[in-house]
């Protein structure tokens, strides 16, 4: 049984006990006026006995800081045009396009954060449009999400790392100012991190494995966040499909999204 259900059951058991106690004291006092004592609220007691699923906070104690964070009130358009001129790290010298992000920009249900653009993304200027992207679209659709309606998709770095290598810590740090402002402007209801580079950056746990970070809720700047394996990793190892599906269902349950269809 889920903790929420357990808590509801406990709350109703406490309420029932309270009603019985009320009825019993009426009998003792031979007071059948029907007034009884005031109805008590047991939700706090029940929450104490059966807490909500683990939501950890604060998860971002050692976030990389950047002076640019002060510009949080910039518009998205201004931020995008700023990023197109960016030369904060070496990736600018090999990029074809800055791949800033795509999808719903007005408080989407979920913001997806991947690793960095691959070859197709670099050529088209859009994130997750290659094979991993098609797979990601299937995952999203399975929990009633889509980049056309209620999802925004971006990456930890906006320029392609050569030969699709992992982004270096300095590259992620240089690009983090953009990501932070993007999150602040777009203000998603929840964040889904895909793969280790995004998950370690966003949780502020650089040494943790994907196995340790996946399937748990964190908060990033007050926004609930969950991490799971990257679609490219699942394409290489189908054994990872099961844990990813568990993580997606957890996110869907948290957001009240129907699972298994549109
Ligand atoms: N993989 C990523 O992490 N991001 C993309 O945009 C494409 C593939």
């Amino acid at each position: 049984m889920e903790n929420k259900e357990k808590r509801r059951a406990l709350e109703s058991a406490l309420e029932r006990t309270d009603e019985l106690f009320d009825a019993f004291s009426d009998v003792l006092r031979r007071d059948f006026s029907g007034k009884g004592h005031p109805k008590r609220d047991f939700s706090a007691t029940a929450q104490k006995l059966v807490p909500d699923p683990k939501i950890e906070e604060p998860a971002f104690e050692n976030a990389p800081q950047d002076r640019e964070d002060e510009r949080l009130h910039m518009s998205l358009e201004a931020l995008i045009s700023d990023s197109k001129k960016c030369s904060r790290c070496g990736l600018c010298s090999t990029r074809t396009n800055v791949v800033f992000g795509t999808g719903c920009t007005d408080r989407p249900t979920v913001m997806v954060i991947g690793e960095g653009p691959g070859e197709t993304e670099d050529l088209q200027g859009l994130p997750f449009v290659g094979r991993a992207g098609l797979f990601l679209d299937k995952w999203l659709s399975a929990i009633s999400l889509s980049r056309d309606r209620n999802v925004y998709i971006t990456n930890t770095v906006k320029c392609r790392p050569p030969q699709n290598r992992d982004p270096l810590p300095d590259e992620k740090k240089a690009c983090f100012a953009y990501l932070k402002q993007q999150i602040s402007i777009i203000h998603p209801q929840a964040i889904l991190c895909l793969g280790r580079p995004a998950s370690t950056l966003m949780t502020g746990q650089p040494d943790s494995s994907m196995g340790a970070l996946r399937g748990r809720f964190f908060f990033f700047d007050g926004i609930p966040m969950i991490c799971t394996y990257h679609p490219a990793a699942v394409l290489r190892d189908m054994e990872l499909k099961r844990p990813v599906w568990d993580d997606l269902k957890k996110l869907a349950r948290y957001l009240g999204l129907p699972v298994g269809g549109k």
Side-chain angles (χ1 to χ4, degrees):
M1 208 198 287
E2 285 297 315
N3 269 12
K4 258 191 192 153
E5 287 168 44
K6 273 192 207 155
R7 211 173 61 234
R8 242 176 266 128
L10 184 64
E11 245 177 76
S12 97
L14 288 170
E15 273 162 18
R16 184 81 194 108
T17 313
D18 194 44
E19 277 162 23
L20 284 172
F21 172 80
D22 197 16
F24 187 55
S25 51
D26 280 351
V27 170
L28 288 181
R29 281 187 272 113
R30 291 280 181 268
D31 171 7
F32 296 104
S33 61
K35 272 189 248 131
H37 63 265
K39 204 168 164 49
R40 279 178 256 197
D41 179 6
F42 289 103
S43 53
T45 317
Q47 163 70 18
K48 229 183 266 166
L49 293 171
V50 186
D52 262 334
K54 53 177 191 284
I55 293 182
E56 296 164 21
E57 160 182 51
F60 212 74
E61 282 157 21
N62 52 350
Q65 289 302 315
D66 193 305
R67 275 178 293 114
E68 305 283 330
D69 289 355
E70 285 153 23
R71 301 180 310 160
L72 280 176
H73 297 295
M74 239 178 155
S75 73
L76 195 60
E77 292 69 29
L79 195 62
I80 294 169
S81 102
D82 191 81
S83 77
K84 286 187 177 158
K85 295 177 280 206
C86 178
S87 57
R88 289 176 192 206
C89 79
L91 296 181
C92 67
S93 62
T94 48
R95 74 177 173 227
T96 312
N97 283 296
V98 170
V99 181
F100 192 79
T102 190
C104 168
T105 55
D106 181 16
R107 192 143 172 77
T109 313
V110 171
M111 180 187 262
V112 174
I113 303 177
E115 185 179 319
E119 188 182 14
T120 325
E121 289 77 18
D122 175 60
L123 291 173
Q124 294 189 25
L126 291 168
F128 281 100
V129 284
R131 196 163 161 244
L134 292 177
F135 197 27
L136 171 63
D137 285 340
K138 284 191 187 157
W139 296 5
L140 296 176
S141 138
I143 54 167
S144 314
L145 294 170
S146 103
R147 62 172 94 195
D148 304 327
R149 278 185 298 118
N150 46 12
V151 172
Y152 185 82
I153 304 181
T154 190
N155 283 303
T156 59
V157 292
K158 313 295 188 231
C159 301
R160 182 190 180 200
Q163 278 80 49
N164 297 347
R165 63 157 169 76
D166 283 0
L168 302 173
D170 276 358
E171 292 162 353
K172 289 198 288 183
K173 190 173 174 192
C175 220
F176 187 65
Y178 285 115
L179 183 56
K180 234 188 142 198
Q181 289 177 78
Q182 233 174 339
I183 294 169
S184 166
I185 295 167
I186 292 170
H187 198 38
Q189 288 173 45
I191 295 173
L192 170 65
C193 297
L194 299 178
R196 194 163 175 270
S199 305
T200 51
L201 175 78
M202 296 299 290
T203 59
Q205 298 188 16
D207 301 322
S208 293
S209 68
M210 213 38 245
L213 294 174
R214 64 153 281 263
R216 298 159 55 190
F217 278 104
F218 295 88
F219 274 112
F220 179 85
D221 274 356
I223 302 169
M225 177 172 85
I226 196 164
C227 307
T228 198
Y229 294 102
H230 193 284
V234 186
L235 285 170
R236 286 191 299 269
D237 176 5
M238 281 293 165
E239 297 269 297
L240 300 177
K241 241 172 124 174
R242 164 62 55 187
V244 166
W245 182 230
D246 288 343
D247 301 341
L248 293 176
K249 280 191 292 185
K250 203 176 267 190
L251 177 65
R253 213 178 304 131
Y254 184 89
L255 291 164
L257 297 168
V259 169
K262 308 222 173 260

